[in-house]
Amino acid sequence: MVDDERLGGSAREAVEDEALWIAPGVAGGYDWSSVGSVTAAGHGAGAVVNTLLKVFPELRARIAAQPSALRVVREPHRTGASR
């Protein structure tokens, strides 16, 4: 898949879409106001962290991910996606 950019791109998009779908549940399923910071890693980390920071702006976050995950944090139009 790494050698096939088209297939790799569609796989990344699928993971990001799934992360956007689960992010509201992650943000609402725990009292994040008692947490000072989080470190997120893996596929979809940018989407989940972006949602957490919108709900809990005082939360500090670190993302350990590939640049494609960080791109999601910089694209606010994608964070409004829902299923």
Side-chain angles (χ1 to χ4, degrees), residues 20-46:
L20 288 169
W21 182 67
I22 67 165
V26 172
Y30 184 79
D31 180 12
W32 292 97
S33 64
S34 64
V35 176
S37 67
V38 296
T39 300
H43 303 294

Side-chain angles (χ1 to χ4, degrees), residues 11-73:
R12 280 190 300 274
E13 289 175 11
V15 169
E16 290 172 1
D17 286 346
E18 182 179 11
L20 288 169
W21 182 67
I22 67 165
V26 172
Y30 184 79
D31 180 12
W32 292 97
S33 64
S34 64
V35 176
S37 67
V38 296
T39 300
H43 303 294
V48 174
V49 166
N50 197 31
T51 299
L52 283 172
L53 293 176
K54 285 183 174 190
V55 178
F56 302 99
E58 68 284 350
L59 186 65
R60 296 188 60 158
R62 291 177 200 88
I63 300 174
Q66 297 293 325
S68 62
L70 299 175
R71 179 177 47 80
V72 176
V73 175

Side-chain angles (χ1 to χ4, degrees), residues 1 4-14 71:
M1 184 164 35
D4 185 338
E5 184 57 36
R6 185 176 48 91
L7 183 57
S10 63
R12 280 190 300 274
E13 289 175 11
R71 179 177 47 80

